[in-house]
Structure formats: C-alpha cells, structure tokens
Amino acid sequence: MANFILRKAEPNDVSDILRLIKELAKFEEMEEKVLLTEKDLLEDGFGDHPFYHCLVAEVPKEQSSEGYTVIAFAMYYFTYDPWIGKLLYLEDFFVMQEFRGLGIGSKILKVLSETAVKTRCSSMHFIVAENNTKSIEFYKRRGAADLSSEEGWRLFEIEKPDLLKMTSK
Amino acid sequence: MEYKLRKAEPKDVPEILRLVKELAKYEEMEHQVTLTEKDLLEDGFGETPFYHCIITEIQGDDSSGGLKVVGFAMYYFTYDPWVGKQLYLEEFYVMEQYRGLGIGSELLRHLSNLAMKTRCTGMMFVVAENNEPSVQFYKRRGAEDLSQEEGWRLFRFDKDSLVKMASPAEE
C-alpha cells in the first residue's frame, strides 16, 4: 500500500501538472495537441484570478521508480447552472499507471466531493468519452448519471477561426 | 427595431431570473429553477463572480418609455488542459416576440469578441440533441458537435452522491 498525501497544487507544481496532462493526453493518443506551457499554467492557475484549481497526490521519493513524487492530479473549476447555481466541474483526472489500484483515485474524488459540498455546489459535472468503459464504470459505481443518455445533451464547440469570422460580421 | 447590448448590472438580476424561468418554461422545466434573485446577486456580483451576463434592451412600447430586457447570454470561463482558457456559453435566450431581428447573432458576435479579447481558444456549450433550430443556428456559424465527433458524454454527480462520497466509508 503506497503512502501518499493529497494537497492543493502550488506554483512550483506546474511542471508536474504539465507532465501529467501530457501523460493523460498520450494515453488518449493526443499528446501533440497539448499546446499549453508551464508559463500558461502558472499565469492561469496562480495569478490574480485562477481559471482552474488542482489537487495533487504525492508519494515519498523512494516509492517512485522514476523519481517523481507527484503521481496524480485532478484539475477542476467552478461553473454555474442558471437553475440551481454553482457547480464543481472536474476537467482532468489522472493517476500514473504504476500507482493505480491503491485508492488514490477514490481519495481524490472524496476530497473533491468535500470541496463541492463545502463551497455549496449543487453537483459535480464532467465529461467522459463514450468508449472509456473503465472510467464510466468507476463513476457510475459512485452514483454518477449519464446526462447525455438521460437528457440528450450534446457538447458543441466553436473554434477560434470561426469565432474570428463571427467577430467581423 | 433598435436594441442595445450591455454587461448586466446588479439591478438586472430580477430580469435575468425572469428570462431564466422563461427559457426553463420553454423546455417545460420551470419548476426546476430553484435559484433566487439573492443567489444570482451574490454569485454574479460578489467578490468572485461565478457567471457573467450580457443583456439586450429595447425601447419599451408602454407609455413610460422605459427600456425592456428582451434577451440575455450567461457565460463563464472554463479551462482546457491542452489549450487553456475557453468561454463557456451557459444560457442564451431571446424572447419569442423579439426573434428574427438579429439579436441572437449580435449576442454571439459580442461573445466571440469577448472570447478573442480574453485570449480564449474556443467557445463551448451544450445543446439538447432534439433542439434542431438551435443545432442548425450554431452549425451555420461553424460549431462542431463534439459529442458526435469525439464521443464525449456529459456526466453528473448530484448532491446526494457527493455527500455519500464525502462522508467516511462505512465499515
């Protein structure tokens, strides 16, 4: 059983956060799509107005074969539902492969749930790829509902080139 | 008909709630709106705003000649760990009798400008799959259905599940 602690991320965690973001993207075969830099993460997460918050899990150096002490993270922020108010939105959630099955993921979700309840959020939202059955089961076991299935919501995006097109009309 | 777009102010909260309820009614979910004016005030105009609003006003046709709020867009900023800040369009509504006048397009244009100014890489939002007019409105302007293209599904843990997860595990 690994010894680990969970804590709020600090400015000097940004290189580990970026490393874990890239590892998760690699797992989804999308590593080249990560354009964010450590500088962006620093400005956006630890400036006057944080656009995201992070929880990180740390293990003692001796327990990690590659010497990394930060071995898991969850990135979240607050969103707003005009019917019920504040929500906690879980954006990214990743535990390094060699540290899975040790309860780190469950502990992270527990801390996030506490945060949501403490900040008077009505619920936690997140998206999951429909073919990621392992994650879907992980969340459903804990009571998550698939709103795309139940309520027919589809996620849309308008990217920069089309936004620019609209600004000039 | 002349209309004007502007940032919402604390005094607009009653009108914002009215429009939120009208949109909910259109979706046959009016009783699900449990938010109050007090919540909207604290959450939108306190130290840390959890949402922002742009409203559209027209000159009222009643004898007082006052301005009338006929449309709004509610948005906030989200964060994509690959590319950074995004503008998230949460709610977007124009009263039925004021549609077809370009107000919706103007609101979207205003939001696009805002997204560019705040260095967002995109604008995201959800649409109900059976809402054909909205799906077309957005697709005409270049929106992509990520649920279809990338298979994303929206999930939720409601309050009961959160409380269950937050409390110590039963032995």
Side-chain angles (χ1 to χ4, degrees):
Chain A
M1 174 68 78
N3 249 343
F4 67 91
I5 57 145
L6 275 189
R7 59 172 176 79
K8 271 176 86 163
E10 290 155 22
N12 55 18
D13 291 317
V14 292
S15 65
D16 282 306
I17 295 172
L18 187 57
R19 172 178 59 85
L20 294 173
I21 288 173
K22 286 181 171 170
E23 265 193 56
L24 177 47
K26 195 169 176 180
F27 167 70
E28 295 172 4
E29 285 161 23
M30 304 274 209
E31 202 184 352
E32 28 24 281
K33 292 206 145 167
V34 181
L35 306 175
L36 225 49
T37 64
E38 286 181 21
K39 180 170 178 286
D40 295 323
L41 280 173
L42 198 61
E43 277 174 21
D44 297 339
F46 300 93
D48 267 337
H49 175 113
F51 286 89
Y52 71 86
H53 305 278
C54 255
L55 270 182
V56 294
E58 257 195 304
V59 296
K61 214 169 189 156
E62 321 79 67
Q63 282 200 333
S64 174
S65 61
E66 289 164 58
Y68 296 122
T69 54
V70 173
I71 50 84
F73 85 118
M75 177 187 273
Y76 67 97
Y77 41 81
F78 296 96
T79 59
Y80 204 74
D81 180 316
W83 295 359
I84 51 178
K86 285 185 293 193
L87 302 177
L88 191 145
Y89 190 88
L90 176 56
E91 175 61 54
D92 242 12
F93 182 15
F94 181 74
V95 179
M96 284 173 73
Q97 185 129 12
E98 64 182 283
F99 292 94
R100 289 186 205 154
L102 302 170
I104 295 176
S106 295
K107 189 72 200 282
I108 289 178
L109 254 197
K110 179 175 185 296
V111 172
L112 289 173
S113 304
E114 285 166 357
T115 303
V117 173
K118 242 186 297 188
T119 50
R120 285 175 298 116
C121 290
S122 310
S123 48
M124 186 191 302
H125 278 198
F126 50 96
I127 55 175
V128 192
E130 66 196 352
N131 60 5
N132 188 348
T133 15
K134 253 183 149 176
S135 292
I136 291 178
E137 289 314 300
F138 175 88
Y139 293 121
K140 279 189 159 172
R141 268 200 302 272
R142 290 157 176 79
D146 180 345
L147 298 186
S148 286
S149 220
E150 294 184 18
E151 299 177 11
W153 293 109
R154 307 180 80 82
L155 179 65
F156 276 71
E157 180 180 19
I158 299 181
E159 289 186 297
K160 198 148 173 191
D162 294 300
L163 290 179
L164 281 170
K165 251 194 225 158
M166 280 195 284
T167 62
S168 57
K169 286 226 172 96
Chain B
M1 189 177 296
E2 274 201 33
Y3 56 83
K4 185 179 90 147
L5 264 65
R6 62 170 175 83
K7 266 177 89 163
E9 290 158 26
K11 64 175 176 135
D12 296 315
V13 156
E15 290 299 280
I16 294 171
L17 188 57
R18 173 179 66 84
L19 294 176
V20 164
K21 287 180 169 170
E22 265 190 50
L23 176 47
K25 195 165 174 185
Y26 165 71
E27 294 172 3
E28 288 161 21
M29 304 272 210
E30 200 184 354
H31 51 286
Q32 302 231 43
V33 180
T34 53
L35 220 53
T36 63
E37 286 178 16
K38 180 172 179 285
D39 295 322
L40 279 173
L41 200 62
E42 277 175 20
D43 297 339
F45 300 94
E47 254 188 60
T48 311
F50 287 90
Y51 72 87
H52 307 278
C53 256
I54 307 286
I55 62 170
T56 307
E57 273 176 333
I58 57 148
Q59 196 67 42
D61 43 19
D62 55 4
S63 50
S64 69
L67 293 166
K68 188 179 154 117
V69 175
V70 301
F72 83 120
M74 178 186 273
Y75 66 95
Y76 40 81
F77 296 96
T78 59
Y79 203 75
D80 181 317
W82 295 358
V83 294
K85 287 184 290 192
Q86 301 262 305
L87 190 144
Y88 191 89
L89 177 55
E90 174 61 50
E91 200 106 300
F92 183 18
Y93 179 74
V94 177
M95 288 172 71
E96 192 159 8
Q97 56 270 57
Y98 299 98
R99 288 183 205 155
L101 302 169
I103 293 176
S105 295
E106 186 61 27
L107 274 166
L108 254 198
R109 192 179 76 79
H110 188 104
L111 290 168
S112 303
N113 249 316
L114 199 69
M116 296 297 87
K117 248 188 287 191
T118 50
R119 283 174 300 116
C120 291
T121 49
M123 185 191 302
M124 290 188 123
F125 47 95
V126 294
V127 190
E129 63 197 354
N130 60 6
N131 187 347
E132 265 311 301
S134 293
V135 170
Q136 289 315 317
F137 175 88
Y138 294 119
K139 280 188 158 174
R140 270 200 300 273
R141 288 158 177 77
E144 294 167 311
D145 180 344
L146 297 186
S147 286
Q148 183 145 58
E149 295 186 20
E150 299 178 11
W152 293 109
R153 306 181 78 81
L154 178 65
F155 276 70
R156 172 189 62 204
F157 278 122
D158 64 15
K159 191 81 180 269
D160 290 335
S161 308
L162 291 178
V163 168
K164 249 196 223 153
M165 280 193 287
S167 57
E170 270 140 45
E171 291 305 299

